[in-house]
Amino acid sequence: MRPAPLRKFTALLLLSTLLAGANAWAETSKLVVNLEGVKEATGNLRATLYRESDAFRKEDKAFKLLSLPASKGTVKLVFAELPPGRYAVMAYHDEDSDQKLKLRFGMFPLEGYGLSNNPKVSGPPKFADSAFDVAGAETSISIKLNY
């Protein structure tokens, strides 16, 4: 049997480890993204979540990516277990399921797309125009897809 001080230390260490783990879990958030105006139930809907401005719009550098089969109307996507912070979302309707936003002249989207905050853009969209804060247990945003 262990001496009493060692038992107390072990019990305190175990308790603090459990509390630290619970605290880390409690500090995560859920982001609910409502994609509005999906025209057809063909292909997939893809949404990319960014934390860094230099990664924005570069799908391979996204913090998280979600893809699910498209359905007409409004579709809900959920990014779970996010640390609180500043984020931006780009979403698009990948009608041909090729996992890329089809562009004309490398600049003009040919498939439905949208950005968090629904900014009016001319030229490449900027992280700052689409950025928002995720805090608390749940944050909800709506993105209107433009075709």
Side-chain angles (χ1 to χ4, degrees):
M1 189 154 149
R2 294 181 182 161
L6 187 56
R7 281 195 313 264
K8 284 183 183 177
F9 174 77
T10 303
L12 285 173
L13 182 62
L14 178 61
L15 180 61
S16 65
T17 301
L18 290 172
L19 289 175
N23 190 33
W25 181 79
E27 291 177 5
T28 64
S29 297
K30 175 170 63 169
L31 172 62
V32 177
V33 179
N34 294 297
L35 293 181
E36 299 175 349
V38 180
K39 285 193 174 182
E40 300 292 330
T42 58
N44 295 305
L45 298 172
R46 293 175 67 84
T48 46
L49 182 67
Y50 300 91
R51 292 187 76 177
E52 307 292 331
S53 61
D54 60 342
F56 188 54
R57 299 181 303 116
K58 298 171 186 158
E59 193 169 283
D60 62 325
K61 295 185 178 185
F63 180 68
K64 287 196 177 197
L65 174 129
L66 293 176
S67 181
L68 69 147
S71 59
K72 191 174 181 176
T74 298
V75 177
K76 179 167 62 170
L77 304 164
V78 178
F79 290 99
E81 297 181 19
L82 299 176
R86 195 133 181 92
Y87 294 89
V89 175
M90 180 178 170
Y92 64 97
H93 184 178
D94 184 17
E95 295 177 63
D96 59 3
S97 300
D98 68 352
Q99 300 179 1
K100 303 185 260 198
L101 176 61
K102 197 173 285 341
L103 301 171
R104 180 176 48 230
F105 306 121
M107 298 184 332
F108 305 104
L110 294 171
E111 295 175 304
Y113 78 99
L115 303 162
S116 46
N117 297 335
N118 298 299
K120 300 287 184 210
V121 295
S122 58
K126 296 179 178 72
F127 179 86
D129 295 332
S130 296
F132 60 94
D133 292 318
V134 170
E138 182 175 310
T139 300
S140 182
I141 65 169
S142 293
I143 296 176
K144 178 159 179 26
L145 293 184
N146 300 298
Y147 285 85

